Amino acid sequence: MNVATIGTGWITEQFVDAVRESGKWTFAGAYSRSAEKADKLGGPRVFTDLNELAANKEIDVVYIASPNALHFEQALLFMKNKKHIICEKPMFSTTKELEEAFKVADENGVFLFEAFRNLYTPNHARLKEAIEKVGPVRHSFFQFIKYSSRYDNVLAGEEPNVFSPAFSGGALVDLGVYPISVAVSLFGKPKSISCHVMMLPTGVDGSGSVVLDYGDHTCTAMYSKITDSHLPGEIGGEEGTILIDHIAPITSIEFKNRRTGEKEQYAVREEENDMIYEAKVIAEIIESNDQEKYQYFRNVSEIVMQITEEARKQSGIVFDVEK
Amino acid sequence: MNVATIGTGWITEQFVDAVRESGKWTFAGAYSRSAEKADKLGGPRVFTDLNELAANKEIDVVYIASPNALHFEQALLFMKNKKHIICEKPMFSTTKELEEAFKVADENGVFLFEAFRNLYTPNHARLKEAIEKVGPVRHSFFQFIKYSSRYDNVLAGEEPNVFSPAFSGGALVDLGVYPISVAVSLFGKPKSISCHVMMLPTGVDGSGSVVLDYGDHTCTAMYSKITDSHLPGEIGGEEGTILIDHIAPITSIEFKNRRTGEKEQYAVREEENDMIYEAKVIAEIIESNDQEKYQYFRNVSEIVMQITEEARKQSGIVFDVEK
């Protein structure tokens, strides 16, 4: 299958490398408003017109890494032209957009994937195995906290895309979705949530906490784009505890048995570019029309979006697309 | 000043050692319903009648470490007999009790202290100094998570005091108050809070999360008596991050400068029995009638109680004393 890309940031470069290394797909071309920028990705073709790309019969899959607020319109255009979509997180701005997009995907017989790179990796699968060891889970904690140099622009009175409600930005949807998606992938849909954030003058959040209440267990997701962190992640069960060094990528998964004190390492060594797994897994699902696996990832996207929408509602974050 | 104790658990033994080593106070006697148990604490006198202890003119300070639900009545009895009180956490069951008790303390010209041992230590003071380095605080995280062997009794269908609403028990008030008291001591009263818990069949919580919303910063407090944890604590500011190994006791306070990457250790070596600091600080406040310091600790107790009461309300934990 032939893959084209939208967007020319570092994430697209990494995805193109992953496509090349996956052995599954062919990188067939890049779109950008700037032909020069698109050409730098090294593909055989450059597109500067989205409709031309949409009409191109040779392209089977489109990877979208444009600004968040553009994802919806672009995804719909390509899906209506029978192309499968891999869209960077956060895939869409609202549950309304998400539901509409999956409907269009179904109507056109194409797949729509959210690029939660951290959910396709071997170590995410290993983490699921390790959880079997801890007994009933009673607490868990995941964070994605990383200072963004764009915050310097906010402090200077500017409104960069990633911190702008006009571009559906903010720390919750940009980084918060990592810990939230891990929780949803491991534990499913929470019964209720609570969200508290630090609001920036731009109208979106700079940092915050979302507590996911599973009834028999409480999961805390912390995120921030205006601080740094050295906190590991943890899953605590009645029989033992799993400590993970980070959630994206995971390089250590240490299970400690509460009764014996014995430790066991579950992590395996992964490729440095973990988007290779994303590319491979998605290629396999499309090739084999694996509806069960597809539903799993689709379900995670749907629940994560419901959570972030509710979290934004609780904390007063309104995107321009909602106004 | 002469100090007497109520209760004969390990915490009382440690307090008696602290009194002896503090060089400030004299251990003058112990109360227990069992004379034999009280005698084991090694004091010069044994009391088996609370009223006799209350009437004893030689006792200046009473340390209360009885079951939580008995604190209020006992504290009132002794304060009305002009004795200062150091009461184990959680000091009382409700804000109503707490307000009444401080009123009685004022009326009788005595001091009433909650034994948050973790707030009187040199490293708590060092942590406050270190915070000056991080710039505006934007995230913080503290936990007290420790499996209690009493949970084995709960699993066996029993209702041990520490997990019983009849004794004002549960993980929130037993362990949750550690991270919450640290947050309140460092950051003051939050604007709002959210609490989610795992409820036990006994009617109190086994684990949970409380998010303290400070408007410009979100603090997450996690606690559990039914799991173990290896998570450190953290305070994240725009200029750097402080990682602490634990909150009670703190043995490492590492500040990392975001811009330079430089690390600085703030912790000092403390006495193994950190109740010595509690005994010394409280003795000094009473001796010098230091109203400013007293108000500080009183304020922390009041805010922590408001938080735990609101947290219990949100999560449906009702103590028998409230029914």
Side-chain angles (χ1 to χ4, degrees):
Chain A
M1 283 188 294
N2 293 315
V3 181
T5 59
I6 312 286
T8 53
W10 64 268
I11 191 87
T12 308
E13 286 176 31
Q14 214 181 332
F15 182 78
V16 168
D17 285 343
V19 165
R20 288 195 176 111
E21 291 180 47
S22 71
K24 293 276 184 185
W25 281 336
T26 304
F27 175 45
Y31 162 86
S32 172
R33 283 177 302 176
S34 151
E36 196 188 348
K37 279 189 182 172
D39 195 45
K40 275 192 183 154
L41 286 167
R45 261 198 88 161
V46 161
F47 298 91
T48 54
D49 179 341
L50 285 172
N51 290 305
E52 192 195 332
L53 171 54
N56 190 304
K57 300 287 180 201
E58 284 168 24
I59 305 297
D60 305 296
V61 180
V62 179
Y63 167 79
I64 300 176
S66 52
N68 302 345
L70 304 179
H71 292 176
F72 179 65
E73 203 183 327
Q74 293 175 350
L76 253 60
L77 169 66
F78 296 123
M79 290 194 291
K80 285 175 179 170
N81 283 277
K82 313 294 180 196
K83 298 184 192 327
H84 307 294
I85 301 291
I86 303 170
C87 184
E88 263 311 318
K89 38 64 48 188
M91 188 151 69
F92 301 120
S93 301
T94 62
T95 54
K96 197 180 151 200
E97 284 185 359
L98 187 109
E99 282 163 23
E100 170 71 10
F102 275 118
K103 195 167 149 259
V104 171
D106 290 345
E107 285 166 0
N108 288 277
V110 294
F111 289 92
L112 169 60
F113 289 95
E114 187 162 13
F116 283 128
R117 59 195 295 174
N118 53 311
L119 302 187
Y120 298 90
T121 63
N123 280 334
H124 185 69
R126 294 291 286 162
L127 182 57
K128 287 197 167 188
E129 281 174 48
I131 286 182
E132 300 299 315
K133 291 288 189 84
V134 303
V137 174
R138 300 306 188 197
H139 82 258
S140 59
F141 174 83
F142 306 111
Q143 61 88 1
F144 204 125
I145 290 174
K146 193 168 163 49
Y147 190 92
S148 163
S149 59
R150 296 290 178 193
Y151 184 53
D152 295 340
N153 299 82
V154 174
L155 291 174
E158 299 163 25
E159 189 173 303
N161 294 358
V162 78
F163 287 115
S164 168
F167 287 86
S168 305
L172 170 68
V173 298
D174 190 56
L175 295 188
V177 294
Y178 283 109
I180 292 169
S181 66
V182 169
V184 170
S185 174
L186 298 177
F187 309 122
K189 184 173 179 168
K191 290 181 192 298
S192 66
I193 69 141
S194 286
C195 178
H196 293 270
V197 308
M198 180 270 182
M199 279 291 263
L200 297 174
T202 58
V204 297
D205 58 325
S207 64
S209 286
V210 179
V211 177
L212 310 178
D213 188 332
Y214 287 97
D216 57 2
H217 143 224
T218 302
C219 175
T220 302
M222 276 177 67
Y223 61 88
S224 170
K225 285 180 77 68
I226 60 177
T227 48
D228 281 331
S229 176
H230 311 285
L231 290 172
E234 189 174 80
I235 298 166
E238 293 187 7
E239 299 302 323
T241 299
I242 295 165
L243 203 66
I244 59 175
D245 62 333
H246 198 256
I247 51 165
I250 299 172
T251 66
S252 173
I253 303 169
E254 190 180 78
F255 167 69
K256 188 173 177 188
N257 186 306
R258 181 177 66 76
R259 292 172 200 273
T260 66
E262 278 174 285
K263 292 177 179 179
E264 200 175 341
Q265 179 58 243
Y266 276 77
V268 293
R269 196 182 164 84
E270 292 183 345
E271 300 278 354
E272 204 178 322
N273 180 357
D274 63 1
M275 292 183 96
I276 291 170
Y277 305 112
E278 180 178 281
K280 277 188 183 171
V281 170
I282 292 176
E284 282 161 11
I285 292 173
I286 296 176
E287 273 172 27
S288 61
N289 189 27
D290 188 336
Q291 288 296 326
E292 194 181 317
K293 269 199 187 154
Y294 177 56
Q295 282 302 325
Y296 172 78
F297 288 110
R298 174 175 171 161
N299 199 237
V300 170
S301 288
E302 286 169 344
I303 297 171
V304 170
M305 177 58 86
Q306 288 159 13
I307 291 170
T308 57
E309 191 163 88
E310 168 65 18
R312 289 193 299 110
K313 201 173 148 193
Q314 288 183 13
S315 48
I317 302 165
V318 182
F319 293 149
D320 286 14
V321 70
E322 297 171 295
K323 284 172 188 165
Chain B
M1 284 189 294
N2 292 315
V3 181
T5 59
I6 312 286
T8 53
W10 63 268
I11 191 86
T12 308
E13 286 176 32
Q14 213 180 333
F15 182 78
V16 168
D17 284 343
V19 165
R20 289 195 176 110
E21 291 179 47
S22 71
K24 293 276 184 185
W25 281 336
T26 304
F27 175 45
Y31 162 86
S32 172
R33 282 178 303 176
S34 151
E36 196 188 348
K37 279 189 182 174
D39 196 46
K40 275 192 183 154
L41 286 167
R45 260 198 89 160
V46 161
F47 298 91
T48 55
D49 179 340
L50 285 173
N51 290 306
E52 193 195 332
L53 170 53
N56 189 306
K57 300 287 179 200
E58 285 168 24
I59 305 297
D60 306 295
V61 180
V62 179
Y63 167 78
I64 300 176
S66 52
N68 302 345
L70 304 179
H71 292 175
F72 179 65
E73 204 183 328
Q74 293 175 352
L76 254 60
L77 169 67
F78 296 122
M79 290 194 292
K80 285 176 179 170
N81 283 277
K82 313 294 179 195
K83 298 184 193 325
H84 307 295
I85 301 290
I86 303 170
C87 184
E88 263 311 319
K89 38 64 48 187
M91 189 152 69
F92 301 121
S93 301
T94 62
T95 54
K96 197 179 151 199
E97 284 185 359
L98 186 111
E99 282 163 23
E100 171 71 10
F102 275 118
K103 195 166 148 259
V104 171
D106 290 346
E107 286 166 359
N108 288 277
V110 294
F111 289 92
L112 170 60
F113 288 95
E114 187 163 14
F116 283 128
R117 59 195 294 173
N118 53 312
L119 303 186
Y120 298 91
T121 63
N123 279 334
H124 185 69
R126 294 291 286 161
L127 182 57
K128 287 197 166 188
E129 281 175 48
I131 286 182
E132 300 299 315
K133 291 288 190 84
V134 302
V137 174
R138 300 307 188 197
H139 82 258
S140 59
F141 174 82
F142 307 111
Q143 61 88 2
F144 204 124
I145 290 174
K146 193 168 163 47
Y147 191 92
S148 163
S149 59
R150 296 290 178 193
Y151 184 53
D152 295 339
N153 299 82
V154 174
L155 291 174
E158 298 164 27
E159 189 173 302
N161 294 358
V162 78
F163 286 115
S164 168
F167 287 87
S168 305
L172 170 68
V173 298
D174 190 56
L175 295 188
V177 294
Y178 282 109
I180 293 169
S181 67
V182 169
V184 170
S185 174
L186 298 177
F187 309 122
K189 184 174 179 169
K191 289 180 192 298
S192 66
I193 69 141
S194 286
C195 178
H196 293 271
V197 308
M198 180 271 182
M199 279 291 263
L200 297 174
T202 58
V204 297
D205 59 325
S207 65
S209 286
V210 179
V211 177
L212 310 178
D213 189 332
Y214 287 97
D216 57 2
H217 144 223
T218 301
C219 174
T220 302
M222 275 176 67
Y223 61 88
S224 170
K225 285 180 77 69
I226 60 177
T227 48
D228 281 331
S229 176
H230 311 285
L231 290 172
E234 189 174 79
I235 298 166
E238 294 186 6
E239 299 302 324
T241 299
I242 295 165
L243 203 65
I244 59 175
D245 61 333
H246 198 255
I247 51 166
I250 299 171
T251 66
S252 174
I253 303 169
E254 191 181 77
F255 167 69
K256 189 174 177 187
N257 185 306
R258 180 176 66 75
R259 293 172 200 273
T260 66
E262 278 174 285
K263 292 177 179 180
E264 200 175 340
Q265 179 57 245
Y266 276 77
V268 293
R269 196 183 164 83
E270 292 183 345
E271 299 278 354
E272 204 178 324
N273 180 359
D274 63 2
M275 292 183 96
I276 291 170
Y277 305 112
E278 180 178 282
K280 276 187 183 170
V281 171
I282 292 177
E284 281 161 12
I285 292 173
I286 296 175
E287 273 171 28
S288 61
N289 189 27
D290 188 337
Q291 288 295 326
E292 194 181 317
K293 269 199 186 154
Y294 177 57
Q295 281 303 325
Y296 171 79
F297 288 111
R298 174 175 171 161
N299 199 236
V300 170
S301 287
E302 285 169 344
I303 296 171
V304 170
M305 176 58 87
Q306 288 159 12
I307 291 170
T308 57
E309 191 163 88
E310 168 65 18
R312 289 194 299 110
K313 200 173 148 192
Q314 288 183 14
S315 49
I317 302 166
V318 182
F319 293 149
D320 286 14
V321 70
E322 297 171 296
K323 284 172 189 167

